[in-house]
Amino acid sequence: VCRIQGTDTVYYSAYDLRDATAATLKNKTVILQSDEVLSNEIYLSGKAFTLDLNGHSLKLKYGEGITPKNGSVIYVGGKNSKLTIKDSSESQTGSVYGSENNYQNKVTSAVRVGNYGKLVINGGKYYGRSEGTSCIFVCTSRASATYATVTINGGYFETATPSNGTYFVLNHEDSATTSCKITVN
């Protein structure tokens, strides 16, 4: 369950944010109210808002019959897409856990940023749990105009296993992401 700060608007799953209108979420803070195991990815396109983990966790465990689209718990992409993630809890236990399973041609990261997407991380914990995955994955088309940006101002990032001997924590897919940037402050 999550609630838009200062309103009576409640979403009964963080997954439902994909169906919210851009105007409903614009410049708002959505506060996670409980831990959630999601049966599908949160696909956010054309939306700009803040997600406050509030000490809770999001985990992805695909439901029966669901085919992974991007492989990440949260996907941010599309024009005017900007997601800011923070954890306002005193305990600082807010977390995003990628899928534990591997899927062919999918990077099962905690958060993926695609064409035009903007991601700002101001805290929280991010886990890549499948074999050879990453926590934050940036991958766009080859057109430089579609570049994505990630700015990290704090947080904890951990990848469970290496891929060919390398742990990809913050992963920028070089061959397909012209002009994309990951900035760590």
Side-chain angles (χ1 to χ4, degrees), residues 118-134:
K118 292 180 179 23
L119 174 66
V120 177
I121 295 178
N122 294 324
K125 298 178 180 181
Y126 305 86
Y127 298 94
R129 300 187 303 159
S130 65
E131 186 177 330
T133 191
S134 58

Side-chain angles (χ1 to χ4, degrees), residues 13-31:
S13 170
Y15 175 72
D16 294 334
L17 293 172
R18 69 178 175 80
D19 295 326
T21 66
T24 300
L25 296 175
K26 187 174 183 177
N27 300 321
K28 301 276 189 338
T29 298
V30 176
I31 304 169

Side-chain angles (χ1 to χ4, degrees), residues 47-64:
K47 297 176 176 131
F49 68 99
T50 297
L51 176 62
D52 182 351
L53 298 171
N54 190 32
H56 297 290
S57 66
L58 294 174
K59 290 182 182 178
L60 179 59
K61 185 174 183 177
Y62 289 102
E64 188 174 322

Side-chain angles (χ1 to χ4, degrees), residues 99-113:
S99 174
E100 293 178 317
N101 299 323
N102 293 330
Y103 299 93
Q104 187 172 1
N105 299 320
K106 304 293 178 203
V107 177
T108 55
S109 57
V111 184
R112 178 177 172 155
V113 186

